[in-house]
Amino acid sequence: MKTYLGNSNKNSAILLIHCPDQKGIVAAVTRFMAENNGNILEIDQHVDKLKGVFFMRVEWDLEGFAIPEEQIEEEFARQIARPFQMKGRISLSRTVPRMAVFVSRYGHCLHDILARYDSGEWNVHIPLIISNHPDMKQAADRYGIDYHQFDVTKDNKSEVEAAQKKLLGEYNIDVMILARYMQILSDDFVADYPGQIINIHHSFLPAFPGARPYHSAFERGVKVIGATSHYVTADLDEGPIIEQDVIHVNHRHSVEDLVRKGRDLEKVVLARAIWHHLQRRTLVFENRTIVFQ
Amino acid sequence: MKTYLGNSNKNSAILLIHCPDQKGIVAAVTRFMAENNGNILEIDQHVDKLKGVFFMRVEWDLEGFAIPEEQIEEEFARQIARPFQMKGRISLSRTVPRMAVFVSRYGHCLHDILARYDSGEWNVHIPLIISNHPDMKQAADRYGIDYHQFDVTKDNKSEVEAAQKKLLGEYNIDVMILARYMQILSDDFVADYPGQIINIHHSFLPAFPGARPYHSAFERGVKVIGATSHYVTADLDEGPIIEQDVIHVNHRHSVEDLVRKGRDLEKVVLARAIWHHLQRRTLVFENRTIVFQ
Amino acid sequence: MKTYLGNSNKNSAILLIHCPDQKGIVAAVTRFMAENNGNILEIDQHVDKLKGVFFMRVEWDLEGFAIPEEQIEEEFARQIARPFQMKGRISLSRTVPRMAVFVSRYGHCLHDILARYDSGEWNVHIPLIISNHPDMKQAADRYGIDYHQFDVTKDNKSEVEAAQKKLLGEYNIDVMILARYMQILSDDFVADYPGQIINIHHSFLPAFPGARPYHSAFERGVKVIGATSHYVTADLDEGPIIEQDVIHVNHRHSVEDLVRKGRDLEKVVLARAIWHHLQRRTLVFENRTIVFQ
Amino acid sequence: MKTYLGNSNKNSAILLIHCPDQKGIVAAVTRFMAENNGNILEIDQHVDKLKGVFFMRVEWDLEGFAIPEEQIEEEFARQIARPFQMKGRISLSRTVPRMAVFVSRYGHCLHDILARYDSGEWNVHIPLIISNHPDMKQAADRYGIDYHQFDVTKDNKSEVEAAQKKLLGEYNIDVMILARYMQILSDDFVADYPGQIINIHHSFLPAFPGARPYHSAFERGVKVIGATSHYVTADLDEGPIIEQDVIHVNHRHSVEDLVRKGRDLEKVVLARAIWHHLQRRTLVFENRTIVFQ
């Protein structure tokens, strides 16, 4: 397991919640921290005025915090969350998420993920790579990560997914990254992991959903191409967007040029989305991702 | 009429052509200039390998050029264009295009165009503003530009367009800018001015075509919004793209924020497209705009 | 006076403060609002961990707020600001700032400001334009804004500044914009208006300070050019940066091209900085500008 | 040796030249190709009007070209280059450049280079990595690349450089990449490899040259940070710029955040510069890099 070089030894808790908007939420939450001797490290909130929903992320120092770690969730629920009808979670910053990467034949996103992992850039553990092709096994071996290959056909999809779920359970996986994984996950599979599967799509959605977006972009003669990282939901390419970016192109660029330039975009956009997720900065509400800065 | 502060006194000719790709085109064209004592100021070419089409823009100095101006087009056609089956045109850089601006109630693009015009940034003459509302008359008056208002209803569309065409003819208009003009031009109208009408659409097409793109962008929860300037064709929002750009947004931005931030994008993207067109740097082929740099 | 089309009728108060970092600040401030029946519309805070300083912006609804407007500042000072050693201010969102624009011969930033003003984009009143040239008088006249021209020489600088200060007082000016004003203000002048003078510099500072940055950029062969808007301090081009942006250029661009492309950047970057300032989202601490989003 | 997945089997020649600007250059060069049955695949030229210098890149198909490969250079020199006083070179697109990477302790640029190399993104062979630290040996081993470590001290610099030169000769290295190599090369070393050493500097030069640019950027409170890739010359951080880019930052970003975000920028900017170089699209003249598109 790689050592995270950031603040892995930070002894803090992170609250991520949403609730109906009402007066006094911030005062109540921050009083909870203050009265229990907790120093707030970061606080960020957002009000969706159209829908009347309040969102908040608070990170506070657990050093000297009056409530023992194992009772925080219960105490917060009793004093604050229930009265305000909050939904959400509290996590500890030193808990290291366990990530699985799904990949097919294109290696650029996987290589980028592994290089970041190897250099301790992310607070994550990657014990598992799943693929429907053998191509990336060598990359997995280089970093000592287990590589499980499943040959997916029209007929065995449900068996394969059952086996994958079993594997994900055995490896205690918290989050899955579809790093240009060229298989569509079933609705049932997706439903079992809400907000836990992150995909990279190689266009600026909602433009060019589906297959071969660079070809479509070329055909349309666009002057920018993009990449979109989003949480996976049952509706293909319709999930809540975490991160998007674009680069400029012009008439000189062939489809191959778009593919080549797009690779750099895909890997950086996916990496930023993973970073936000691992930092517990994302909160999905309906089809929108709040990314707290 | 405003004085263009750029190289308005440049005595040059600009060739913009395309033809079937074949050996010897560049050699033949440049020999035509060289043998007639014409110094090439800029040359740019592009080959669409998929379609086998060659595109070129050449600008050359007319100072001392052996062929009299009025015979250049004919001589070039005889010696070069016909043998190579070229389509295109030759224009003189000192010819000042005459531009009409169509506008409705949003003034930001119009204001930006007028400020650039007033400061001599563009080599253009703007004698005419057409609108379906009275709102922008004051702005037109400030700059001494004729303002013609047409009240467009379901029933009078063809009469209005006939009157507009008459007006465009009287003012000798070469190029029309739809500066957030909220009326759809008829196919017949558009067909009469191929490659002469430039629109600004407030999204990164092909995402969010049609009305209220900022609302749609907000609904979809995108992390970038964009603007697209394109030549107008019969297919609404489907014309050849000249220029596109985007800016980043996040969950904090309301629809009103998107509209506000989008305005800056729209005016800059439209201005860049107009600049390319006025500099005779654009060449449309099928649904793609070649923008020579 | 132009009508601001945003939330000008918003009946809210805005708190902008900084103080030594310590436990319980957020809880204390938000309790102040909550206990007095004030609904928080937006809250944003930042901790500079290196310097141990806490920064916060809170906007809350005054509808039904228990403390009368004229006593808010005093009550907040007594209950919260003094105990926490806070520095800062409270302002009302419906107070319309009064802005003066300083300009020389380049009109693009001024034109852009006036167009935004005219279209009600900003919550501001612009009663005064000051210049050392006559060139922009016509633009001022178009919008009915008083234009005062001062011929600045080596010998009369202090008299001119004295006359300008008098004028700024008579017009009750809150904020000054140097919209490509080609005169250097004296240290004394600058010292009289801390955090009230915003400049646009046509480079990505700290690169290319001083005169003729586009020429320097061209000479250095950079591949991006930029613009920087900052608060003016005694050290020329060294003030706290509010906003910066860049665009890509290449070897084809002449100095004139850089100037032309840079104009679009300058006006947009300056406009964003003015927007942040007018929205009371900026807080200067030492040489850094906190821009609350 | 990795297989380049692009047009490695392209049988073309690439001309890169500059000469005093004069009439007839393009005509003469393109006639040379046309008369010898060479189909021009790409042509790009640029005139530096200030200095009166003409630059050109031409790529043409060698299939059926009348002049045998080994005589092209001589024939072109005799017929064209000498009469026009051209300087430059002709190379074959199927010649694979041999690249050495210099690295110290930061691995992100090296990892990125190796992943691109491994996936066949570049037409290059990387037989050698040189370092003053052991840290990256494992990465080199993973890809089967020789790793030579030199412990550089104040006293042994010239011996180390002599040994490195010997090594570069033995490995037939054409181009060196300083992938965050934390040693300054001597003027003599640099002089031996003009236009063959590419560096990545972690700021938007000329801002923040020298050591610790992210710390300086943080201190200055900039709103963008950048990266610059340039050819190395005797003047540190003053060499001709190949590629630059920036990203936006704000007051929330600590120095560590700038370092983290900057890494992504550095690797992408360096990769783009390497791509341009490997494609023979760069031409250095005085302190400026022409990057043909």
Side-chain angles (χ1 to χ4, degrees), chain A residues 44 204 218 252 288-289, chain B residues 44 204 218 223 252 288-289:
Chain A
D44 196 4
F204 48 97
F218 180 83
R252 295 177 183 281
R288 186 180 297 275
T289 311
Chain B
D44 196 5
F204 48 97
F218 179 81
K223 301 299 187 188
R252 296 177 182 280
R288 185 181 296 276
T289 311

Side-chain angles (χ1 to χ4, degrees), chain A residues 126 137 195 257:
Chain A
I126 306 180
K137 180 159 194 332
D257 290 326

Side-chain angles (χ1 to χ4, degrees), chain A residues 226-237:
Chain A
T228 304
S229 187
H230 62 93
Y231 285 111
V232 176
T233 57
D235 300 311
L236 190 65
D237 300 332

Side-chain angles (χ1 to χ4, degrees), chain C residues 44 46 204 206 208 218 220 222-224 237-239 241 244-246 248 251-252 287-289 291, chain D residues 44 46 204 206 208 218 220 222-224 237-239 241 244-246 248 251-252 287-291:
Chain C
D44 195 6
H46 170 64
F204 47 97
F208 311 124
F218 179 82
R220 181 61 186 90
V222 292
K223 301 299 187 188
V224 291
D237 300 332
E238 294 282 336
I241 295 170
Q244 285 188 298
D245 212 342
V246 308
H248 287 258
H251 64 272
R252 295 177 183 282
N287 206 36
R288 184 181 296 275
T289 311
V291 182
Chain D
D44 196 6
H46 171 64
F204 48 97
F208 311 125
F218 179 81
R220 181 60 187 91
V222 291
K223 300 298 187 189
V224 290
D237 300 332
E238 294 283 336
I241 294 170
Q244 286 188 297
D245 213 342
V246 308
H248 286 258
H251 65 272
R252 296 177 183 279
N287 206 36
R288 185 180 296 274
T289 312
I290 313 293
V291 181

Side-chain angles (χ1 to χ4, degrees), chain B residues 203-271:
Chain B
S203 82
F204 48 97
L205 289 172
F208 312 124
R212 297 165 65 86
Y214 291 126
H215 289 77
S216 305
F218 179 81
E219 280 306 309
R220 180 61 186 90
V222 292
K223 301 299 187 188
V224 291
I225 57 168
T228 304
S229 187
H230 61 92
Y231 285 110
V232 176
T233 57
D235 300 310
L236 189 66
D237 299 331
E238 294 283 335
I241 295 170
I242 308 169
E243 181 84 25
Q244 285 188 298
D245 213 343
V246 307
I247 46 172
H248 287 258
V249 296
N250 60 48
H251 64 272
R252 296 177 182 280
H253 293 102
S254 64
V255 172
E256 290 69 35
D257 290 326
L258 302 190
V259 169
R260 175 179 57 79
K261 291 174 77 84
R263 277 195 297 255
D264 281 8
L265 202 58
E266 293 164 32
K267 71 188 188 192
V268 170
V269 167
L270 178 57

